[in-house]
Amino acid sequence: MSLDTLSGGDLGADRVLDPAGVLPQAARRLDPDPVLRSGEIRLRVRTLNLDAASLRQLQEKHGGDGDAVRRDVLEIVGSRGKMHNPVTGSGGMCIGVVEERHPDAAADVQVGDTVATLVSLTLTPLVITDGLAGWDGHSEQIPCDGHAVLFRRTSLVKVPEDVETRTFLSLADVCGAPALTARVLADRRELGRGERVVVLGAAGKSGSLSMAAAQQHGSEVTALVRDEAEADAVRAARLADWIVVADATDPLGTLAALSSAGGPADVVVVCVDAPGCEHAAILAARPGGTVIFFSMATSFSAAALGAEGMATDVTMLVGNGYSPGHAEYALELLRSHDGVQSLLAPQPRVPSVRAAPVRVTQRHYVSEQAAHYADGLVAGAYSLGAFGDVATELMIQEAGCEGLFAGYDTVAFRAPVQAGDVVETTATVVRRGRRSRHLDFELKVVARRVEGSRSSRLAEPLVATTARGVVVVPRGHEEGKDTP
Ligand code: NAP
């Protein structure tokens, strides 16, 4: 169908309840009435796939309380007639069975076919009828009963028989990323321009497919991942020439990390599901390079004004979720790159994003044996040992396992710790990934020996050591899996 013969109904404009005159994606509220209008198809929904940025935002908002996340999703869908996260502006997509097809519908599908939508839930009229009873509020993929309405222009694809449905759902959600990466690289080759690629958030779904696209194109690829656990996963997937561990929300840290891994690149693909990566992405690009902002957490103003402030000449592209043949291309990458399969396979559950505890505190008496230097002063390693212990208790409560310490980002020794002190160590979760937990640590002296065996509580606790570090849930210990 050419665009000049399009009618509003083809795009679902007649389903918009509020405000009048906009298309469904921009609407506050859609009409999800199951009675079909011209050109429409109704799906019996089986699974929703929440967009990663949206799920992260909801989990952070509710401190990992799955029931509260579920209530919020139901509230959004109930009030808006679609899954359109008002904060991230993103939605996801769904899989369902064709229940009814208007005679004018254009898609080549029949009643009974299982299909995945290739358009966002932010523009898909949706009704949920089962209260999402089978969902724990943690996983991106949500068992769901209800109906969705697809317009004549809605892209959809039949679920292939040789690919596991949940893997296909993950792939369909992000298949725009590899297609755009491939197109940008092909255009650059035609113009004789550089083709080195950096993928930020490389261990995720869109990241793995984007790396596979770049590898198939013959580009040198640097994967930027968040922690050692993700680095291991990308290494095993053999999709990158270089792997660096860095926080993509830290621009200078990212630049420094890249300097030992091929340096800035010609094409940077942003696949991180968290906000604040614009400046790192721009610094990761060479002058004349291209940054593909696939992430829904991207801020237009941060990107545009940041590039201006850095006086950096890069082309910045919004990652269009659609391009012709994008699902078929992503399927080809999945079938031809074993590594994609492992990174794309949905996590059984996002582990341990529970509401509590976010903070654990322990107290210790610093014995004479701990004294290392003159006047009973203990070595800095004492604080790190105490942080390891408090992190272990926190991870046992958070994740039901001890966790593995991946490393410290910062450690600061601010005041002495002495034999005879009573110290209080606190670990606080400041950020959660799928398997990673970013923790802030503090060790305070709360009581100190005065003379002989006389000690007294300090009126004001003395902050002796602070740190920030990353602990990961070991593979196989994710919630919902049997621990070995
Ligand atoms: P994903 O599978 O969750 O992958 C995101 C990856 O980024 C994860 O490996 C995550 O690690 C990592 N990460 C998070 N914070 C990081 C940081 N500070 N530094 C480095 N890495 C970090 O997400 P996805 O499904 O591929 O989606 C990626 C983005 O694309 C999301 O924003 C999503 O909304 C968006 N999206 C866009 C479109 C479009 O049409 N443009 C369509 C679908 C999705 P942890 O798991 O350890 O946190």
Side-chain angles (χ1 to χ4, degrees):
M1 179 185 303
S2 77
L3 284 176
D4 47 3
T5 59
L6 265 185
S7 78
D10 296 330
L11 302 171
D14 52 352
R15 291 270 180 179
V16 173
L17 294 177
D18 177 38
V22 303
L23 291 178
Q25 206 285 329
R28 269 192 293 276
R29 207 153 57 86
L30 296 181
D31 178 1
D33 183 358
V35 178
L36 296 183
R37 303 171 192 181
S38 176
E40 291 181 341
I41 289 172
R42 191 179 61 253
L43 293 189
R44 188 94 220 148
V45 177
R46 295 285 177 244
T47 314
L48 299 176
N49 192 89
L50 270 204
D51 152 83
S54 178
L55 180 63
R56 179 185 287 276
Q57 184 274 328
L58 290 168
Q59 288 182 323
E60 289 180 357
K61 171 180 171 189
H62 296 294
D65 179 347
D67 289 337
V69 172
R70 185 175 54 240
R71 281 196 299 275
D72 215 344
V73 169
L74 289 170
E75 208 286 315
I76 292 170
V77 175
S79 61
R80 304 197 69 168
K82 58 176 179 170
M83 179 53 215
H84 191 163
N85 182 320
V87 177
T88 61
S90 56
M93 33 79 65
C94 71
I95 278 186
V97 177
V98 177
E99 199 171 49
E100 191 183 344
R101 187 182 186 283
H102 191 279
D104 292 349
D108 179 22
V109 291
Q110 302 307 323
V111 170
D113 286 347
T114 300
V115 300
T117 60
L118 293 172
V119 298
S120 173
L121 289 175
T122 62
L123 57 85
T124 305
L126 176 68
V127 170
I128 295 172
T129 52
D130 67 348
L132 303 180
W135 185 42
D136 61 6
H138 296 317
S139 57
E140 279 172 18
Q141 298 200 355
I142 308 175
C144 171
D145 196 9
H147 74 258
V149 176
L150 312 184
F151 315 128
R152 198 196 307 267
R153 286 283 292 186
T154 301
S155 306
L156 50 85
V157 60
K158 282 190 212 170
V159 176
E161 282 173 7
D162 65 327
V163 179
E164 203 251 327
T165 310
R166 288 166 4 111
T167 301
F168 185 70
L169 189 55
S170 295
L171 172 143
D173 182 32
V174 298
C175 60
L180 185 55
T181 304
R183 184 194 286 184
V184 167
L185 287 170
D187 288 350
R188 291 186 70 92
R189 180 165 293 177
E190 217 165 287
L191 295 169
R193 307 178 78 179
E195 297 164 32
R196 229 181 69 70
V197 174
V198 167
V199 178
L200 307 185
K205 296 180 289 299
S206 54
S208 58
L209 281 163
S210 300
M211 287 193 295
Q215 200 175 60
Q216 192 175 68
H217 180 83
S219 294
E220 189 180 288
V221 180
T222 298
L224 183 140
V225 296
R226 178 145 128 133
D227 55 40
E228 286 301 337
E230 289 198 336
D232 286 348
V234 171
R235 206 167 286 122
R238 292 192 292 167
L239 289 170
D241 302 280
W242 306 83
I243 301 172
V244 287
V245 175
D247 179 352
T249 63
D250 171 2
L252 297 176
T254 295
L255 189 61
L258 288 176
S259 67
S260 59
D266 305 296
V267 176
V268 178
V269 192
V270 184
C271 296
V272 173
D273 58 338
C277 302
E278 298 82 1
H279 299 168
I282 292 163
L283 283 180
R286 287 181 183 151
T290 302
V291 181
I292 300 172
F293 284 111
F294 190 70
S295 169
M296 284 293 166
T298 303
S299 152
F300 177 85
S301 53
L305 301 176
E308 180 186 86
M310 292 178 236
T312 304
D313 174 24
V314 289
T315 301
M316 295 190 279
L317 300 179
V318 174
N320 182 351
Y322 172 77
S323 69
H326 57 340
E328 292 74 12
Y329 176 59
L331 262 175
E332 180 195 320
L333 293 173
L334 175 72
R335 288 176 175 138
S336 58
H337 289 70
D338 291 343
V340 172
Q341 173 79 38
S342 61
L343 294 175
L344 201 61
Q347 307 290 321
R349 292 164 115 187
V350 178
S352 325
V353 228
R354 296 175 181 157
V358 290
R359 170 172 296 183
V360 166
T361 299
Q362 295 178 341
R363 282 195 173 194
H364 301 277
Y365 171 70
V366 183
S367 72
E368 291 296 331
Q369 284 79 27
H372 193 71
Y373 300 110
D375 300 326
L377 195 67
V378 306
Y382 179 90
S383 296
L384 301 190
F387 290 161
D389 286 349
V390 72
T392 301
E393 183 182 341
L394 185 144
M395 291 302 283
I396 288 170
Q397 296 192 30
E398 264 273 301
C401 69
E402 293 188 359
L404 295 173
F405 220 117
Y408 285 103
D409 298 331
T410 57
V411 179
F413 299 106
R414 299 170 186 278
V417 179
Q418 299 168 4
D421 284 351
V422 176
V423 296
E424 191 175 276
T425 49
T426 303
T428 308
V429 180
V430 289
R431 181 158 206 174
R432 290 176 167 95
R434 278 207 181 74
R435 295 175 51 216
S436 59
R437 298 294 180 276
H438 289 233
L439 308 181
D440 271 358
F441 296 98
E442 191 176 66
L443 181 145
K444 290 188 293 197
V445 180
V446 293
R448 176 151 278 179
R449 186 180 296 160
V450 183
E451 198 187 350
S453 61
R454 261 191 348 108
S455 297
S456 69
R457 283 186 68 83
L458 301 186
E460 205 42 59
L462 179 69
V463 177
T465 315
T466 55
R468 174 165 285 196
V470 180
V471 180
V472 295
V473 178
R475 277 197 187 283
H477 286 258
E478 294 95 336
E479 257 189 80
K481 280 190 178 178
D482 293 336
T483 48

